[in-house]
Amino acid sequence: MGQNVAEKLIDSHLLEGDMTPGEEIGIRMDQTLTQDATGTLVMLELEAMGLERVKTDLSAQYVDHNLIQEDNKNPDDHFFLQSACKKFGAWYSRPGNGVSHPVHQERFGKPGKTLVGSDSHTPAAGAIGMLAIGSGGMDVAMCMAGEPYYFKMPEVWGVELTGELPDWVSAKDVILEMLRRHDVDGAVGRIIEYYGPGLDELETMDRHVIANMGTELGATSTVFPADDEVRRFMKGQDREEDFTRLEADPDATYDHHEQIDLSELEPLIAKPSSPGNVVPVREEVGRDLSQAYIGSSANPGYRDFAVAAEMVEGKQVKTDVSFDVNPTSRQILENLDRDDHLLSLIHSGARIHQAGCNGCIGMGQAPATDTNSLRTVPRNFPDRSGTKEDRVFLVSPETATASALRGEITDPRDLDMPYPDVSDPDDPIVNEQSLEAPPSPEESRKVELRKGPNVSSIPHLDPIPDHVEIPINFKAEDDISTDEILRAGTDVLPYRSNIPEISKFSFDVVDPNYYDKAMDTRDDGGHAVVGGKNYGQGSSREHAALAPRYLGLRVVVARDYARIHWQNLVNFGVLPLNFIDDQDYELFSQGDELRIRDIHDQVRAGSEVEVENATTGRTVTTRHLLSDRQQEVLFKGGMINWMKERI
Ligand code: MIC
């Protein structure tokens, strides 16, 4: 029987297990990607493991998150990362080069290859026919050290695209339609694979938009075929030699089917504060707004900015609207300048920022209180922008720009202008000078890590005891995100290389007392957390597991988990349990004592674990989903301890 693209990519890299959905497999990762807000911990993990040099085809470290230099912390981390790249043999992308995902696609991505990245939006590289998966930094460090990447074999969800995109409707509206239909956990346990005649409507960077935000449906990854359009893109990047055609076999099948007739789409908008809260723009028109923001890894392409530039050419955006333009790569900025699009944007009243993630993760550009902010970013979890009770709407560049011109939420189809006919240039300026290649192994051996005062070592973590009787420090609602467990923002993100400091912000969005309560019990057995559905959705930040673990978190019992966060909990020795009976969630309250006996025997004997509420006397049966390998990691106290014994 024929294979689809996802199956071909996995099959060609399979090292352990068999491709049965739900079973754990191990695959070879050809490339790794780290960004600076997760990469500092990765480099500390490599140092802790005693790794001499990365064992991948290519590892690249980007500086795109911690760009605001209000004191020494971020610039110190930039130099730390640069020294680590020299020492471990990775490429270094300096601050200002842009967001990891578009830059990696421009300079390093290759069809048919695999990529794991310490950023949840790594699947964007699926746009060029890669299998690209976001993961916690520990998993990325393991792959940099030559270990297989382990994950549960996903089901493959075939999405057939037909028809043609109407004017004013673009790639963002396609992925917003998927979110409208299936919400933020609709693709958990699946790889989404797009195919069909509608692909001709999508340039490679348009596919990047869709692949990037497959993450917001909980997808393990998203893939597109490597076809003539991908060849065109790579030729434009002076890398046609890296192109390999990769398409599904004619008799390929899928585990799930979806069909989107592009002709039926209209401009869509995700309302606060979930990417799944999607309605047609026409239902929201007329609302005022204080900000229209274009850019981020979720609309990074030249076209995304050029269409905005042509919409505002010779016009002025409303003065009470902050029109924030966030370039996504140095190359794209250079090409927008070459083609006079930058001039149009500047002259219209836009605020041009440096190439990077910036406002997407609350690193600047926070909206004013009680105002609406329309953004082309991938997610709008509560308070993520940096403003308490923010109201961030997710939209296409067309909708954001139309709203900036009118000063209110506007359906771009209502503008009295022709739809700009812009596309990705076949002959872009290519700039690879700003990427620093790794030195020779001989040179690397001479390099010392350059650590500023804010770079702390990885804390030692002891294994979970065989018996716990601990307080439930916090009980989370459904869909709690990593931005609520451990937020980003200008006051927190610079502490990503300093676990003791960053742990002080744990859960502070939803429980300002979490830290103090945790510190009260940290040396007396620790604590537990109870969660709802989709616990830990969103980001790859392993800090959202490590910081609470540092404060004494031992056990999480939830209805179910977001894939990446579940793995991060295991990697740092926290036991993740699932309620079997959904109603059992109601039997545990914040402040109750949670008791589990004979943990090692229970976990090893099967998948069921008895959990008692020592306060009420009720006992429930929960389930763990740990493979034998993951059980060993857990009982060693986490992946670093486990790996140290192997190196
Ligand atoms: C995000 O978009 O939430 C981030 C910031 O890129 C995170 C990584 C991080 O927290 O550093 C992600 O998506 O993985």
Side-chain angles (χ1 to χ4, degrees):
M1 183 169 64
Q3 289 186 317
N4 54 51
V5 172
E7 288 166 339
K8 289 184 175 182
L9 284 160
I10 292 172
D11 202 5
S12 57
H13 290 79
L14 193 63
L15 298 173
E16 294 179 29
D18 63 68
M19 294 167 60
T20 304
E23 295 299 313
E24 183 178 81
I25 58 174
I27 65 170
R28 186 181 76 255
M29 280 297 177
D30 300 312
Q31 301 184 358
T32 67
L33 170 159
T34 45
Q35 42 92 336
D36 54 319
T38 51
T40 45
L41 210 50
V42 169
M43 299 305 179
L44 290 170
E45 287 155 1
L46 295 182
E47 182 191 30
M49 290 176 193
L51 182 77
E52 182 171 311
R53 193 172 182 86
V54 298
K55 295 182 169 56
T56 53
D57 297 352
L58 177 139
S59 288
Q61 168 67 54
Y62 297 88
V63 179
D64 57 0
H65 282 65
N66 270 325
L67 296 177
I68 292 182
Q69 299 180 202
E70 66 173 2
D71 60 23
N72 67 292
K73 290 196 286 294
N74 286 342
D76 284 354
D77 279 358
H78 303 166
F79 280 121
F80 167 61
L81 289 168
Q82 186 178 36
S83 69
C85 288
K86 288 186 166 76
K87 179 177 181 61
F88 297 121
W91 283 80
Y92 177 69
S93 176
R94 70 168 69 141
N97 275 358
V99 179
S100 62
H101 309 302
V103 178
H104 200 88
Q105 182 166 308
E106 288 167 346
R107 304 279 24 98
F108 298 127
K110 291 183 181 179
K113 297 293 186 181
T114 53
L115 167 71
V116 63
S118 61
D119 190 279
S120 67
H121 295 113
T122 300
I128 62 171
M130 293 187 84
L131 176 63
I133 300 177
S135 209
M138 181 60 71
D139 297 310
V140 178
M142 297 292 286
C143 294
M144 293 170 84
E147 293 291 318
Y149 179 71
Y150 294 99
F151 64 119
K152 289 184 172 53
M153 175 68 194
E155 295 177 315
V156 185
W157 187 6
V159 180
E160 184 186 13
L161 301 176
T162 62
E164 296 178 358
L165 286 170
D167 285 354
W168 301 106
V169 177
S170 58
K172 177 67 121 244
D173 299 305
V174 177
I175 191 64
L176 287 173
E177 173 62 8
M178 283 289 285
L179 280 157
R180 187 189 67 78
R181 294 183 188 183
H182 302 286
D183 208 350
V184 292
D185 57 359
V188 171
R190 298 183 182 181
I191 290 180
I192 304 172
E193 178 168 329
Y194 293 89
Y195 68 98
L199 284 179
D200 294 342
E201 295 286 297
L202 300 169
E203 295 179 327
T204 303
M205 269 303 182
D206 296 325
R207 301 175 187 184
H208 187 103
V209 171
I210 295 168
N212 174 294
M213 285 185 67
T215 299
E216 310 317 325
L217 283 108
T220 301
S221 190
T222 292
V223 295
F224 284 85
D227 54 13
D228 289 341
E229 162 51 26
V230 174
R231 180 195 288 274
R232 179 204 66 82
F233 173 82
M234 298 192 73
K235 184 177 181 185
Q237 297 298 325
D238 297 343
R239 296 201 299 123
E240 190 174 9
E241 70 280 2
D242 288 338
F243 174 78
T244 305
R245 185 173 294 279
L246 180 65
E247 295 175 301
D249 294 327
D251 57 344
T253 60
Y254 295 94
D255 299 303
H256 300 276
H257 291 269
E258 187 83 25
Q259 202 249 2
I260 299 179
D261 178 352
L262 301 176
S263 311
E264 293 177 0
L265 294 184
E266 63 177 301
L268 296 172
I269 186 168
K271 300 190 296 182
S273 292
S274 168
N277 192 12
V278 178
V279 298
V281 172
R282 57 186 157 77
E283 292 182 12
E284 297 296 308
V285 297
R287 288 171 170 261
D288 60 13
L289 78 157
S290 68
Q291 180 181 50
Y293 171 129
I294 59 173
S296 92
S297 63
N299 271 113
Y302 171 95
R303 186 213 75 90
D304 295 322
F305 297 94
V307 75
E310 299 218 355
M311 290 171 70
V312 302
E313 189 174 0
K315 301 179 182 67
Q316 291 293 309
V317 298
K318 291 295 184 195
T319 47
D320 53 357
V321 174
S322 177
F323 184 41
D324 290 277
V325 172
N326 240 104
T328 48
S329 85
R330 189 182 300 278
Q331 273 191 190
I332 288 168
L333 196 50
E334 291 181 35
N335 286 291
L336 291 171
D337 178 50
R338 178 192 69 177
D339 302 345
D340 290 334
H341 290 313
L342 198 52
L343 177 61
S344 300
L345 290 165
I346 293 168
H347 195 75
S348 75
R351 299 167 68 180
I352 309 298
H353 299 272
Q354 64 179 309
C357 296
N358 306 342
C360 175
I361 43 133
M363 291 298 275
Q365 301 157 268
T369 306
D370 283 339
T371 63
N372 297 322
S373 169
L374 269 64
R375 300 184 169 200
T376 64
V377 301
R379 53 180 60 139
N380 58 345
F381 300 139
D383 300 4
R384 176 179 166 94
S385 68
T387 297
K388 291 292 288 173
E389 296 175 13
D390 58 3
R391 295 205 303 261
V392 173
F393 296 72
L394 308 181
V395 293
S396 71
E398 290 89 341
T399 299
T401 306
S403 304
L405 284 169
R406 288 273 185 86
E408 60 184 36
I409 295 182
T410 300
D411 186 326
R413 296 174 298 181
D414 296 340
L415 290 178
D416 180 18
M417 68 170 74
Y419 185 45
D421 178 18
V422 294
S423 57
D424 199 46
D426 291 337
D427 62 340
I429 298 169
V430 171
N431 178 345
E432 49 198 26
Q433 291 83 354
S434 52
L435 292 156
E436 192 172 280
S440 68
E442 294 71 31
E443 286 304 309
S444 290
R445 275 192 279 274
K446 302 172 192 168
V447 175
E448 291 298 320
L449 290 178
R450 180 172 170 178
K451 292 183 182 179
N454 183 46
V455 178
S456 74
S457 299
I458 302 270
H460 172 71
L461 303 173
D462 61 332
I464 188 170
D466 197 30
H467 173 99
V468 295
E469 189 157 341
I470 50 182
I472 297 170
N473 222 21
F474 179 66
K475 181 173 182 180
E477 303 285 327
D478 290 348
D479 294 327
I480 187 170
S481 76
T482 47
D483 279 306
E484 293 162 288
I485 296 174
L486 186 59
R487 61 190 168 86
T490 54
D491 55 339
V492 181
L493 219 58
Y495 288 115
R496 284 289 185 85
S497 50
N498 187 334
I499 295 304
E501 277 304 311
I502 203 169
S503 68
K504 295 174 181 174
F505 299 92
S506 301
F507 289 92
D508 70 351
V509 174
V510 288
D511 181 358
N513 302 315
Y514 178 93
Y515 177 74
D516 291 338
K517 289 184 291 184
M519 290 304 282
D520 288 346
T521 58
R522 181 168 182 256
D523 299 328
D524 182 21
H527 67 274
V529 164
V530 168
K533 282 175 48 283
N534 200 17
Y535 182 85
Q537 71 161 326
S539 149
S540 69
R541 63 192 74 163
E542 60 191 352
H543 306 71
L546 177 53
R549 171 70 193 86
Y550 174 77
L551 297 178
L553 176 66
R554 289 297 193 174
V555 179
V556 176
V557 192
R559 285 177 160 142
D560 62 30
Y561 299 79
R563 172 185 65 87
I564 298 178
H565 190 65
W566 181 91
Q567 186 61 58
N568 288 340
L569 291 169
V570 175
N571 286 348
F572 291 105
V574 178
L575 174 59
L577 298 173
N578 293 50
F579 288 114
I580 297 174
D581 181 340
D582 206 48
Q583 295 311 309
D584 288 349
Y585 169 80
E586 306 301 340
L587 300 179
F588 293 82
S589 301
Q590 192 160 309
D592 287 354
E593 281 289 303
L594 183 141
R595 180 191 296 139
I596 310 175
R597 308 173 198 273
D598 304 320
I599 293 174
H600 288 225
D601 289 348
Q602 287 205 71
V603 166
R604 288 196 166 111
S607 65
E608 296 190 349
V609 176
E610 296 295 312
V611 175
E612 299 170 58
N613 182 332
T615 304
T616 64
R618 296 292 299 266
T619 296
V620 301
T621 303
T622 66
R623 176 176 296 125
H624 77 77
L625 303 174
L626 297 165
S627 66
D628 292 347
R629 181 189 61 83
Q630 288 164 332
Q631 291 172 34
E632 292 318 304
V633 169
L634 176 79
F635 293 136
K636 290 289 183 193
M639 188 63 83
I640 288 186
N641 300 348
W642 182 79
M643 191 63 185
K644 274 181 179 172
E645 290 189 8
R646 285 163 62 91
I647 283 190

